[in-house]
Amino acid sequence: MARSRWTTGPQAIVLVRHGESVGNLADTAAREAQAEHLDLDQRDADVKLSPTGRDQADAVAAWVSGLDEAELPSTVLSSPYRRAAETAERAMRKRGIEVVYDERLRERDLGIFDGLTGYGIRAQHPDEAARRKKLGKFYYQPPSGESWADVVLRVRSLLADLRHGYDDEHIWMFTHQAVIMSFRYALEGLDEKSLLDIDRRVQIPNASFTRFYRAGNVLELDVFADTAAVDAAGTERTAEASSTRSGDVSA
């Protein structure tokens, strides 16, 4: 796949995964119990940070405070989902940087699978589980939900906007695992197999950084799933295996 060329636009893009959420905890508990449903009674957009997640967001704030002037974020965008928004707000509070919310950074919509574990999907929607196995993780679209390819289209739309009016800026974005992986796909020209191989091998920890710097006319990956901020603060690292996240038929 051809890589996009950047003759204008940001100098750096920093992607921060949200801190640990109560949804992450519910997902872990449901998998350990081999339950079909997560024990959550709110919509995905309203899932808040756990106490550890708030500590992780504060660790990002401390990290930002120690950055050199040239590395500080000049524009901050966030998913409007509560766990990402709260991470961004806590991280930028001391800097006084406005957080701008962009729905293109929201979590992948799982449609009718929202709140179900892999056990639940296979038990309640066996035909869809079989269809997903045939189509593969990247192109499969849950009923009323989004495929990974759909998320990539959102990411490409946002990147197109960033080409204009953000020259040489450091853009920070607070978002979710599938979105971060979609940025890698779009910016690095990855193919389906390469992307899914990375997703199988790497857990993207909560409050971790994935950073791209402009080199010539491309944005090059500098760090991926980096926990430097959390580690520097002595805060607990958390992550869930990508193959066992809620809504994944293979879980």
Side-chain angles (χ1 to χ4, degrees):
M1 183 179 299
R3 298 184 66 175
S4 58
R5 302 296 180 181
W6 291 79
T7 56
T8 59
Q11 179 64 32
I13 289 176
V14 179
L15 304 164
V16 185
R17 190 182 174 211
H18 62 81
E20 181 188 67
S21 72
V22 297
N24 296 144
L25 297 176
D27 184 68
T28 298
R31 285 189 288 106
E32 290 176 349
Q34 297 191 0
E36 295 185 5
H37 292 271
L38 274 64
D39 186 17
L40 283 174
D41 59 0
Q42 69 242 93
R43 62 179 187 158
D44 193 31
D46 297 328
V47 171
K48 64 183 180 180
L49 292 178
S50 70
T52 296
R54 292 192 291 273
D55 289 343
Q56 291 167 340
D58 292 342
V60 176
W63 182 264
V64 171
S65 295
L67 290 175
D68 294 336
E69 192 69 27
E71 295 294 319
L72 287 171
S74 51
T75 296
V76 176
L77 307 177
S78 176
S79 159
Y81 280 26
R82 182 173 176 180
R83 55 194 180 275
E86 188 178 353
T87 304
E89 290 162 3
R90 293 181 78 98
M92 295 298 154
R93 187 178 299 156
K94 292 182 180 178
R95 300 298 310 179
I97 299 175
E98 179 186 8
V99 178
V100 178
Y101 300 101
D102 194 306
E103 73 284 349
R104 290 172 292 186
L105 291 170
R106 72 187 186 276
E107 179 62 287
R108 182 168 73 97
D109 188 344
L110 296 175
I112 65 170
F113 292 169
D114 186 34
L116 292 177
T117 63
Y119 305 111
I121 294 167
R122 290 191 297 272
Q124 299 179 31
H125 303 280
D127 290 346
E128 285 299 320
R131 190 167 75 90
R132 189 270 192 191
K133 184 176 181 180
K134 179 180 179 179
L135 293 177
K137 183 174 183 176
F138 186 76
Y139 289 110
Y140 172 72
Q141 185 181 61
S144 72
E146 292 179 296
S147 67
W148 276 45
D150 292 328
V151 179
V152 171
L153 290 176
R154 289 200 252 129
V155 165
R156 292 193 190 281
S157 169
L158 179 52
L159 287 171
D161 285 354
L162 294 179
R163 290 178 181 275
H164 309 288
Y166 296 92
D167 288 356
D168 302 321
E169 288 201 34
H170 283 242
I171 310 293
W172 283 48
M173 293 184 255
F174 290 77
T175 186
H176 310 265
Q177 169 132 353
V179 181
I180 293 170
M181 294 300 297
S182 296
F183 269 95
R184 288 205 59 178
Y185 182 88
L187 290 174
E188 297 176 59
L190 299 178
D191 60 18
E192 176 188 3
K193 181 180 183 303
S194 298
L195 181 75
L196 296 182
D197 283 346
I198 295 168
D199 185 63
R200 278 190 290 270
R201 289 186 287 103
V202 180
Q203 299 175 345
I204 299 183
N206 297 108
S208 64
F209 298 108
T210 296
R211 182 170 59 240
F212 292 86
Y213 279 120
R214 230 166 97 187
N217 60 1
V218 296
L219 281 160
E220 294 280 6
L221 183 68
D222 177 50
V223 296
F224 174 50
D226 181 54
T227 58
V230 168
D231 295 343
T235 304
E236 180 184 358
R237 284 191 199 179
T238 57
E240 74 276 18
S242 58
S243 63
T244 55
R245 289 194 298 275
S246 173
D248 194 322
V249 180
S250 62

